[in-house]
């Protein structure tokens, strides 16, 4: 609570906005940033069936949890996640996917440049994560054509995520 | 007109590749050279001419599993079984930093028992060696999903056919030729579609197997490919390739096919197609089964 207050103060003073309403217990504080759906990196899909095809919020939650479980053991990329706040990562990814799939969510995380600028991610590592996402969506039973509509939204974010 | 010995060709290819690799790689750290990393099917299969692409139309994508930080390679074996002929092609290609591609392919048209009907010995085989190079010049077919800009590559293909004197008797001007092409490829992920178009400057007769030139000059011919992804491993589609019609003794048609390509894993892709190669050396309706295996890393 004390930490949150400090963060809230700093956030309000520095940017006027802060993502604190949605943070989960166990999340570590981050430097203040401006909260905006624009941080999600793309506009939501223009397709009312998408959210249902991913089995709503519950389906998205399962996909993200599976994705995070996979990338944190994938020998190609697990090292990158060792120092990460996985509680926060799961929450913000769920928000982001829900938002991009035109679900009833706002994205409160950082923008893709800010979230990845220090990770030194390569194209190969980006693709490793895409593969895990595909496996997670397969496991959830999301039809391939629908999977591609989400990946189409994520693919251009490679320009912000891949720095090496 | 003289035949280029294969050894010379191969040596030139190796020299050329090494030089290009040094140029592309620059003085960078050896740790930077990492193999693999492409998503399934995104290296394409190997066309009959050896270039990364579909079966008969090259794509702007670069062969091999490498990304912009690595090196990759593929080898392929392809056969087309037609009513009156058999076509076989095999070769290998390397991809450098997902930007440059070099390939070598040997291609043969076996006339089998059709040979004697053409006044040739039984099992007479027309063949050619193909050395090709492709450079990706703009765009990104896969990641640029928020723009219409396709990936664009330009390529040069050197073909050296066998049996020069027979080819000139058939009306071909030359037994070797160089083709140039520009290829644009776009993955429309939201639609699970792959679109490709190529413009090729060529005077090859039956792809060069029956020599180059004849009744008209080299010109530009369009080629298109269309694919629909059914899963991350399976793509089905069709291709069309317009071709010159330069030999007075026999009409030549465009090539068409309907294909399916399946990535068994990151290393192996099998493809099958129903190919319509039209009329070949006066034998019409050469339609048959195309089969291809591509292995690589
Ligand atoms: C389009 C693909 C990707 C999307 C949409 C995405 C999304 C996100 C999101 C929403 C966050 C949390 C932002 C926040 O904390 O405010 C995040 C953080 C992170 N991402 Fe990604 N990411 C992508 C690709 C990757 C890849 C390929 C890797 C590594 C292989 C990666 C590694 C990380 C790491 C390590 C963090 C945690 C940073 C930290 O703890 O501060 N991401 N990503």
């Amino acid at each position: 609570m004390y930490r949150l207050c400090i963060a809230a103060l700093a956030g309000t003073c520095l940017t006027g906005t802060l993502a604190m309403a949605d943070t989960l217990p166990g999340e570590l504080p981050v430097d203040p940033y401006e909260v905006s759906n624009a941080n999600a990196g793309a506009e939501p899909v223009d397709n009312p069936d998408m959210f249902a095809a991913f089995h709503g919020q519950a389906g998205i939650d399962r996909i993200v949890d599976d994705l995070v479980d996979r990338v944190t053991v994938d020998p190609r990329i697990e090292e990158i996640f060792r120092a990460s706040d996985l509680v926060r990562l799961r929450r913000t990814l769920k928000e982001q996917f829900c938002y991009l799939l035109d679900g009833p969510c706002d994205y409160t995380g950082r923008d893709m440049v800010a979230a990845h600028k220090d990770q030194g991610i390569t194209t190969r590592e980006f693709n490793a994560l895409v593969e895990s996402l595909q496996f997670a969506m397969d496991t959830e039973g999301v039809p391939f054509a629908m999977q591609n509509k989400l990946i189409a939204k994520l693919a251009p974010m490679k320009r912000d995520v891949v720095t090496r | 007109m003289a035949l280029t010995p294969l050894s010379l060709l191969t040596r030139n290819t190796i020299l050329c590749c090494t030089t290009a690799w040094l140029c592309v790689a620059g003085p960078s750290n050896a740790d930077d050279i990492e193999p693999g990393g492409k998503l399934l099917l995104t290296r394409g299969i190997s066309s009959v001419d050896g270039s990364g692409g579909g079966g008969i139309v090259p794509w702007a994508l670069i062969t091999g599993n490498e990304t912009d930080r690595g090196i990759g390679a593929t080898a392929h074996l392809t056969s087309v079984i037609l009513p009156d002929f058999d076509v076989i092609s095999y070769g290998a290609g390397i991809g450098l930093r997902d930007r440059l591609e070099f390939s070598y392919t040997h291609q043969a048209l076996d006339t089998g028992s059709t040979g004697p009907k053409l006044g040739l010995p039984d099992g007479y085989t027309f063949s050619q060696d193909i050395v090709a190079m492709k450079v990706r010049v703009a765009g990104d077919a896969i990641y640029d999903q928020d723009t219409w800009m396709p990936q664009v590559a330009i390529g040069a293909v050197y073909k050296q056919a066998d049996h020069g004197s027979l080819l000139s008797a058939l009306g071909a001007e030359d037994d070797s030729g160089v083709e140039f092409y520009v290829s644009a490829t776009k993955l429309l992920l939201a639609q699970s579609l792959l679109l490709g178009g190529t413009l090729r400057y060529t005077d090859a007769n039956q792809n060069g197997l029956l020599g180059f030139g004849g009744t008209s000059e080299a010109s530009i011919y369009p080629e298109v490919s269309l694919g629909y992804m059914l899963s991350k491993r399976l793509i089905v589609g069709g291709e069309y390739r317009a071709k010159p019609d330069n030999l007075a003794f026999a009409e030549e048609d465009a090539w068409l096919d309907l294909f399916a390509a399946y990535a068994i894993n990151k290393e192996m892709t099998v493809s099958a197609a129903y190919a319509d190669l039209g009329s070949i050396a006066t034998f019409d309706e050469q339609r048959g089964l195309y089969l291809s295996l591509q292995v690589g890393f």
Side-chain angles (χ1 to χ4, degrees):
Chain A
M1 196 57 213
Y2 171 71
R3 265 209 316 240
L4 268 182
C5 292
I6 304 265
L9 254 165
T12 323
C13 297
L14 289 173
T15 65
T17 340
L18 188 82
M20 58 171 295
D22 300 293
T23 53
L24 295 175
E27 275 187 39
L28 305 172
V30 299
D31 290 339
Y33 59 95
E34 195 157 344
V35 173
S36 159
N37 278 330
N39 290 349
E43 292 292 315
V45 290
D46 185 15
N47 183 335
D49 302 330
M50 282 289 278
F51 189 62
F54 279 71
H55 306 145
Q57 189 64 60
I60 291 168
D61 289 355
R62 284 189 292 268
I63 290 167
V64 168
D65 284 332
D66 190 9
L67 169 65
V68 173
D69 290 348
R70 286 175 192 272
V71 296
T72 47
V73 296
D74 182 342
R76 295 172 296 179
I77 50 176
E78 58 82 17
E79 211 177 323
I80 302 172
F81 292 93
R82 279 190 201 164
S84 303
D85 175 355
L86 296 183
V87 179
R88 179 182 169 88
L89 182 62
R90 284 176 202 268
R91 173 180 65 80
T92 48
L93 270 176
K94 286 169 187 175
E95 287 176 3
Q96 188 186 27
F97 286 11
C98 173
Y99 172 75
L100 293 176
L101 293 168
D102 205 21
C105 308
D106 287 312
Y107 177 66
T108 66
R110 289 168 288 189
D111 67 61
M112 292 301 102
V113 171
H116 301 97
K117 65 179 189 323
D118 301 325
Q119 320 283 359
I121 295 165
T122 64
T123 302
R124 193 184 184 218
E125 289 160 349
F126 186 91
N127 288 348
L129 180 134
V130 171
E131 286 172 7
S132 282
L133 175 59
Q134 287 180 318
F135 277 121
M137 292 188 294
D138 285 345
T139 305
E140 181 61 28
V142 179
F144 181 68
M146 294 298 200
Q147 296 185 13
N148 285 343
K149 290 181 199 289
L150 175 61
I151 296 183
K153 288 285 175 186
L154 304 181
M157 297 179 198
K158 171 176 181 273
R159 292 193 286 262
D160 291 339
V161 170
V162 171
T163 54
R164 220 151 50 96
Chain B
M1 283 290 276
L3 293 183
T4 312
L6 189 53
S7 58
L8 189 63
L9 251 168
T10 319
R11 206 192 63 198
N12 282 347
T13 315
I14 293 169
L15 262 172
C16 186
C17 296
T18 318
T19 320
W21 170 239
L22 290 175
C23 297
V24 178
S28 73
N29 189 328
D31 289 349
D32 277 353
I33 301 163
E34 51 183 31
K38 275 204 188 90
L39 294 166
L40 283 174
L41 288 176
T42 61
R43 72 179 185 211
I45 63 168
S46 302
S47 76
V48 281
D49 287 352
S51 307
I56 55 176
V57 178
W59 292 349
L61 303 176
I62 301 293
T63 204
N65 285 348
E66 87 288 349
T67 65
D68 52 348
R69 295 162 53 83
I71 177 168
T74 51
H76 76 103
L77 175 63
T78 301
S79 82
V80 192
I81 303 149
L82 301 169
D84 300 298
F85 305 95
D86 290 326
V87 181
I88 188 151
S89 125
Y90 52 83
I94 62 168
L96 306 172
R97 294 187 174 255
D98 201 19
R99 170 142 324 262
L100 255 181
E101 177 187 292
F102 295 93
S103 59
Y104 164 76
T105 287
H106 181 78
Q107 207 174 68
L109 176 78
D110 186 348
T111 62
S113 55
T114 308
K117 297 182 204 157
L118 285 162
L120 300 167
D122 195 64
Y124 190 86
T125 299
F126 293 92
S127 64
Q128 63 174 341
D129 291 300
I130 304 174
V131 177
M133 170 186 172
K134 173 163 71 185
V135 192
R136 169 182 175 179
V137 292
D140 192 310
I142 294 152
Y143 300 100
D144 290 353
Q145 292 299 317
D146 51 352
T147 79
W148 276 94
M149 176 69 191
Q151 183 161 326
V152 180
I154 51 174
V157 186
Y158 174 76
K159 299 178 171 179
Q160 172 67 59
D162 243 337
H163 308 302
S165 46
L166 174 65
L167 297 180
S168 50
L170 291 176
E173 233 164 50
D174 219 326
D175 64 355
S176 72
V178 181
E179 302 178 316
F180 297 98
Y181 68 84
V182 53
S183 193
T185 304
K186 184 77 186 174
L187 189 63
L188 296 178
L189 251 181
Q191 285 73 36
S192 300
L193 282 178
L194 181 114
L195 307 180
T198 294
L199 291 174
R200 186 190 302 260
Y201 178 79
T202 181
D203 63 353
N205 307 317
Q206 294 297 358
N207 200 36
L209 285 162
L210 298 185
F212 301 81
T215 55
S216 54
E217 295 297 304
S219 175
I220 293 171
Y221 296 86
E223 309 175 359
V224 291
S225 44
L226 176 68
Y228 181 75
M229 286 182 294
L230 287 168
S231 81
K232 60 193 169 194
R233 297 182 184 279
L234 181 63
I235 180 167
V236 294
E239 296 177 284
Y240 168 87
R241 174 163 164 182
K243 300 186 2 280
D245 183 12
N246 270 336
L247 292 181
F249 91 100
E251 239 172 64
E252 180 169 345
D253 299 319
W255 284 354
L256 296 165
D257 72 53
L258 292 174
F259 70 88
Y262 183 81
I264 297 169
N265 52 35
K266 289 240 167 101
E267 288 73 39
M268 240 187 289
T269 306
V270 285
S271 328
Y274 174 72
D276 180 351
L277 305 192
S279 185
I280 300 180
T282 74
F283 287 81
D284 291 345
E285 302 190 353
Q286 298 302 311
R287 300 176 189 141
L289 180 67
Y290 157 106
L291 285 173
S292 182
L293 169 71
Q294 187 208 50
V295 296
F297 66 88

